[in-house]
Amino acid sequence: MNKITNLIIALLLLITGMSQAHAQAVQNVRGRVIDEASKAPLTGAVIALIDTARSLGAISEADGTFAVTGVPIGRHSFRVSYTGYEDRIVNDVIVTAGKEVNLNIAMQEAIHKLDAVTVSYSRARDKTRTNNDMAQVSARSFNVEETRKYAGSLGDPSRMAANFAGVVSGNDSRNDIVVRGNSPQGMLWQLEGINIPNPNHYGSPISTGGPISMVNNNNIDKSDFMTSAFPAQYGNATAGVFDIKLRDGNRNKNEFMAQVGFNGFELGAEGPLGRNKRTSYLINYRYSTLGVFQKMGISFGTGAAVPYYQDLNFKLTSQVGKRSKVSLFGISGKSNIEFLGKDVDTTTTELYGGDPFANEYAWYGTSVTGVSYEHQLSEKTSTKFTAAYGGSFQKYQEDSLSRTTYQPIPESRGRLASDKISGVWSLTHKMNARNNMQAGITFDQTGFNFMNKEYMPDGTEVVYIDKKGNYGLLQAYAQWKHRFNDKLSGVAGVHGQYLTLNQQYVAEPRASLRYALSKRQALSVGYGLHHQAQSIYTYYVNTPTANGPALTNKDLGFTRSHHSVVTYDWNITEHMRLKAEAYYQLLGNVPVETRATSFSAVNSGSFFGPDDVDSLLNKGKGYNYGTELTLERFFNKGYYFLMTGSLFNSRYTGSDGIERNTAFNTGHVLNVLAGKEFRVGHKGSVLAVNAKVSSVGGRWSTPLDMTRSVAEMRTVLKDNEAFTEKLPGYFRSDLRVSYRKEYRKSTLEMAIDFQNITNHQNIFLKYYDAPNKKVVTVYQQSFFPVPTIRYTF
């Protein structure tokens, strides 16, 4: 605790020691106004600052852009008006001295032009309205501010999303998220409309999570997160969607950022390229700092092993003429770690393990680079084409150590490498104020080179997979939105996909209705049929036969899931919202074994490794149902709060015909978050305190088979009693204290995240320790302080 105390004192001295001489700072607020349906720029929209005595505003130019200059630092609200359109009120815009603000505002055309309708837009940057106007149920947007301010989020979009209703984390070792009881492998990740591989450090190509995100929150724009019955443009997913957008760089001035914290040392820059300021760049580089934390004596669950990682995020955007835009974007990251037996402290148990008689090595990498071209064909029609190339790899090696000579003995080797060429085309057309449609095609051509083998004590090799190849996934969709009147709107669409690997194809209807019961209340219903191909690893798992390995999984079809949702929205006040949802999901065609066992692919992703299971058939089934409640007070008068609760049940049936709990059936989740800002002095400086309390029901696990574990000197589970042992519930409290100091042309931000401040011991797993002949319980992250310093100028 002395090291932690000294760290806090050092930060406080840094705060008080900074120069106080600076004038009252002002900043520019820029942005672009477009039609929500056609994406066409709106010329002549009026943008006005409405919460200060000063009269400040701007009018959008021919390309929809605007600039409100001389805005005082602090939080502000803006009104956006345009003839024939519903007004928008943009609340809670944080203006700092170190960085200009950029707002992208989509406006909806009024059905009845004479009606004076004002819609409360962007309560905390529009959490209630997604970028995708076709999403009417189980969807919300998020922005960079939420990834920073929520205690425990650490700038990670996945950890931030764990605060939303219907989402379960409860695993400190990774940022996998469980949506409504589904496997995290059912998630779809998109970046700028491209389907991307796992965007996390230490994340396998066949999983969707990892300990640390590669997507840098300093670069993201307003993005969407969906948990059920998502619109027709999203396919090959059964759980949820992360639709990440990267923001454009500042086209008017160069800005810089330096940051150091748990996520790494970071340097960022953005600004215009060329004299005409029609091209901008945005780039951010990060390198890990965990080696520094370890030298300070702070444990983060890896013992003496130090995780190393680095990543790069970038985007270049150029306006081509009056109607076109070209963007080059990408993310790239690599990571590695070594667990050496000689360094393992046998008196403690670590979250990420460590065997004194084994050496483990792991290397990971992911990269995606894309280029997009957007063109406004007319005032009502726009099109976009994106091409991308990406890939990911994981290489791992494990050697056991002789108990007498400590010489390494090969135990396992693995290599999972894949690359993908992607093309995405979309067309958006607005017929009139009541009708708009979208259509598009996506094609992903994936190559892979997988090998995973294990060495037996007798010297023989067991090869689980050893295959090179390629396959394609073609997807297409069309969807239409109709506004019957000011109260009722409907969306209907269809999505189809075709897998070249085994010629599997499906068509999926999607539909939703939203009815405004009053100016503050709305009722929505949605349905979607969703399918997902199996992991490419699963298709090529070897089945040993007398004639050599056989591929008994290659003809597996898509897993199927029917989603049904009912949503009730109530804007209690201008700054408070209540949302309730009830859902039912019916899963079918789930891979299970041909012999009678408890195995089902619905539980994939509950552990670190792949499922080396062969001889699978699409005969499994399952279901998820539950209710969710969100009560949210958007930031106003210096404070906010967010309370989300979920009650749910998630069950499956394997080939043995027994209905069981899934690995993700925790039963309930409760999150309570709150934050308060205090103005310090008269120069715009702010002290903020944010807190979070999470309670998650206990996970279901499979009991240890002690008789076999002792006899075989390894951990053996009772598979016939799968997921019948309930672990204690998960509880964690986090506290974040931050300070933002404004200078004339720069901003200094400092924060400390106190994770698990009660040091509650949450069970991670149990295993049999053969050398010591006992059962060992491994606990999740203990109390862990995470300091961050950020400077923008």
Side-chain angles (χ1 to χ4, degrees), residues 121-360:
Y121 173 82
S122 185
R123 299 178 182 93
R125 297 260 188 104
D126 188 8
K127 294 189 183 74
T128 62
R129 183 188 292 270
T130 57
N131 290 326
N132 191 325
D133 69 322
M134 299 287 182
Q136 299 195 121
V137 296
S138 300
R140 67 171 290 161
S141 65
F142 65 92
N143 55 66
V144 62
E145 183 194 351
E146 291 170 292
T147 66
R148 290 178 185 153
K149 75 178 181 183
Y150 289 159
S153 294
L154 298 178
D156 186 333
S158 292
R159 297 185 193 275
M160 178 273 305
N163 299 308
F164 300 156
V167 182
V168 180
S169 179
N171 184 344
D172 298 338
S173 67
R174 298 169 62 85
N175 61 10
D176 293 286
I177 55 173
V178 175
V179 178
R180 295 180 171 175
N182 289 288
S183 164
Q185 293 191 355
M187 287 294 301
L188 169 66
W189 281 91
Q190 285 197 344
L191 180 71
E192 293 290 304
I194 290 290
N195 301 327
I196 63 172
N198 185 351
N200 291 283
H201 289 297
Y202 306 100
S204 167
I206 58 175
S207 67
T208 61
I212 301 166
S213 175
M214 276 187 244
V215 180
N216 195 298
N217 71 320
N218 290 304
N219 287 32
I220 65 173
D221 203 349
K222 175 185 165 186
S223 302
D224 291 344
F225 177 68
M226 306 175 192
T227 56
S228 194
F230 19 93
Q233 73 188 74
Y234 304 107
N236 200 37
T238 54
V241 176
F242 254 118
D243 189 351
I244 303 291
K245 304 296 183 185
L246 299 178
R247 63 184 181 87
D248 294 343
N250 194 323
R251 289 196 302 169
N252 295 279
K253 60 180 291 191
N254 288 298
E255 297 177 328
F256 304 95
M257 183 275 299
Q259 178 173 307
V260 59
F262 170 79
N263 285 348
F265 294 105
E266 299 185 36
L267 293 174
E270 60 181 290
L273 292 174
R275 294 182 179 180
N276 59 10
K277 296 184 178 181
R278 298 181 66 83
T279 301
S280 68
Y281 73 93
L282 172 66
I283 188 168
N284 191 291
Y285 172 76
R286 174 174 57 184
Y287 187 83
S288 63
T289 54
L290 295 182
V292 176
F293 277 79
Q294 188 191 60
K295 290 181 179 179
M296 295 172 61
I298 299 175
S299 173
F300 38 82
T302 60
V306 179
Y308 293 100
Y309 57 87
Q310 57 184 314
D311 53 61
L312 179 73
N313 288 215
F314 69 90
K315 186 177 183 182
L316 281 77
T317 304
S318 181
Q319 199 70 31
V320 181
K322 296 181 179 180
R323 293 178 174 267
S324 302
K325 184 172 78 170
V326 176
S327 298
L328 176 68
F329 61 90
I331 61 171
S332 181
K334 63 179 182 178
S335 51
N336 67 280
I337 191 169
E338 298 179 356
F339 294 95
L340 302 181
K342 65 181 181 64
D343 297 330
V344 173
D345 184 353
T346 57
T347 64
T348 63
T349 56
E350 298 289 349
L351 175 59
Y352 292 93
D355 185 342
F357 294 101
N359 291 337
E360 300 174 59

Side-chain angles (χ1 to χ4, degrees), residues 501-650:
L501 179 73
N502 52 19
Q503 290 78 50
Q504 298 284 332
Y505 60 91
V506 289
E508 306 166 332
R510 317 276 176 88
S512 64
L513 285 171
R514 181 179 178 85
Y515 181 74
L517 302 171
S518 66
K519 290 183 178 180
R520 293 185 179 273
Q521 300 179 73
L523 185 67
S524 306
V525 295
Y527 166 79
L529 176 59
H530 306 272
H531 291 82
Q532 184 178 33
Q534 311 309 321
S535 161
I536 189 62
Y537 187 101
T538 299
Y539 287 112
Y540 287 101
V541 170
N542 287 332
T543 300
T545 69
N547 298 320
L551 301 177
T552 55
N553 292 346
K554 190 176 180 181
D555 292 328
L556 284 172
F558 299 115
T559 296
R560 181 184 67 240
S561 184
H562 294 272
H563 291 190
S564 301
V565 187
V566 178
T567 305
Y568 171 71
D569 278 298
W570 179 21
N571 291 321
I572 302 171
T573 68
E574 183 182 356
H575 301 287
M576 188 178 298
R577 179 196 186 202
L578 175 72
K579 180 179 181 179
E581 285 199 318
Y583 65 89
Y584 182 80
Q585 300 176 349
L586 180 63
L587 283 72
N589 288 354
V590 181
V592 295
E593 292 190 78
T594 53
R595 60 191 180 96
T597 70
S598 62
F599 173 82
S600 173
V602 298
N603 299 308
S604 297
S606 57
F607 297 100
F608 286 101
D611 293 324
D612 295 309
V613 183
D614 63 289
S615 303
L616 299 177
L617 295 173
N618 292 105
K619 291 189 176 182
K621 57 184 179 180
Y623 60 84
N624 309 309
Y625 64 83
T627 58
E628 301 165 359
L629 189 68
T630 299
L631 179 63
E632 185 168 14
R633 187 190 192 276
F634 304 114
F635 192 95
N636 185 51
K637 295 183 178 180
Y639 74 98
Y640 76 92
F641 64 76
L642 170 65
M643 292 185 287
T644 63
S646 304
L647 294 173
F648 67 97
N649 193 20
S650 178

Side-chain angles (χ1 to χ4, degrees), residues 65-113:
T65 60
F66 66 88
V68 182
T69 60
V71 179
I73 59 174
R75 292 182 183 264
H76 295 290
S77 297
F78 295 84
R79 182 187 298 275
V80 184
S81 306
Y82 188 71
T83 303
Y85 281 68
E86 298 173 351
D87 285 2
R88 300 295 194 200
I89 297 177
V90 187
N91 289 324
D92 191 26
V93 178
I94 300 178
V95 180
T96 65
K99 182 172 179 53
E100 290 189 341
V101 177
N102 189 277
L103 301 173
N104 293 311
I105 301 169
M107 301 189 71
Q108 181 171 270
E109 187 175 359
I111 294 178
H112 302 293
K113 300 297 190 294

